[in-house]
Amino acid sequence: MMKLLITIVQDQDVPALLEALTENGFRATKLASTGGFLRVGNTTLLIGIKEDERDAVFALVKKTCKRREQPENMPKIPFGRAGLGAQLDKVLVGGATIFVVDVERFERI
Ligand code: 2BA
């Protein structure tokens, strides 16, 4: 069965990941997205694959998508704890978040 990998990565990792995917014959669609927690831009790739290609794609994601510390610098409540001059908390982001979804039907018309 075909799978759709909904793959959320950091913008910095996208060029290397797309190059690796393309070089290895995989196809992807790049969507601009925003993380709900940090409220900063990230990238969602839609990658349609055959079930037996999953490990290969996971390996490419692992190789190209790094874990990074990012400041949690967006006040989610006005005048909240991350206000001006406040000590910024750090969160670890990435390498990647991947949802593996069954595809009922795939067509290119
Ligand atoms: P954000 O939602 O902006 O989250 C960025 C990072 O903040 C997360 O990194 C995680 O380390 C931390 N974080 C997120 N929610 C948190 C919470 N409620 N409490 C404490 N820390 C929290 P990652 O886990 O690597 O996620 C990176 C991005 O992947 C997320 O950006 C979001 O766009 C997406 N994502 C992760 N898990 C998801 C899920 N279950 N559903 C939908 N999108 C998800």
Side-chain angles (χ1 to χ4, degrees):
M1 185 190 256
M2 197 171 177
K3 301 280 181 188
L4 177 64
L5 305 180
I6 302 174
T7 306
I8 303 162
V9 300
Q10 293 175 83
D11 293 347
Q12 303 96 297
D13 294 324
V14 172
L17 177 55
L18 279 181
E19 194 178 318
L21 288 170
T22 313
E23 262 175 16
N24 287 276
F26 296 110
R27 298 180 180 202
T29 295
K30 176 179 177 296
L31 307 175
S33 45
T34 303
F37 188 69
L38 291 178
R39 320 270 169 91
V40 298
N42 55 25
T43 293
T44 300
L45 295 181
L46 304 181
I47 310 168
I49 59 162
K50 295 187 207 113
E51 197 163 10
D52 64 4
E53 295 172 327
R54 189 171 57 184
D55 291 350
V57 172
F58 273 38
L60 296 177
V61 172
K62 220 170 223 172
K63 203 166 86 182
T64 53
C65 298
K66 309 285 176 237
R67 180 168 291 180
R68 297 185 186 85
E69 264 197 346
Q70 301 286 354
E72 186 204 331
N73 57 1
M74 292 294 211
K76 284 172 277 294
I77 305 162
F79 315 112
R81 65 194 165 93
L84 255 174
Q87 182 69 39
L88 298 181
D89 291 331
K90 302 255 185 184
V91 291
L92 267 183
V93 185
T97 299
I98 307 179
F99 297 90
V100 182
V101 180
D102 289 341
V103 175
E104 188 180 301
R105 183 166 159 177
F106 169 74
E107 303 220 17
R108 294 170 65 219
I109 296 171

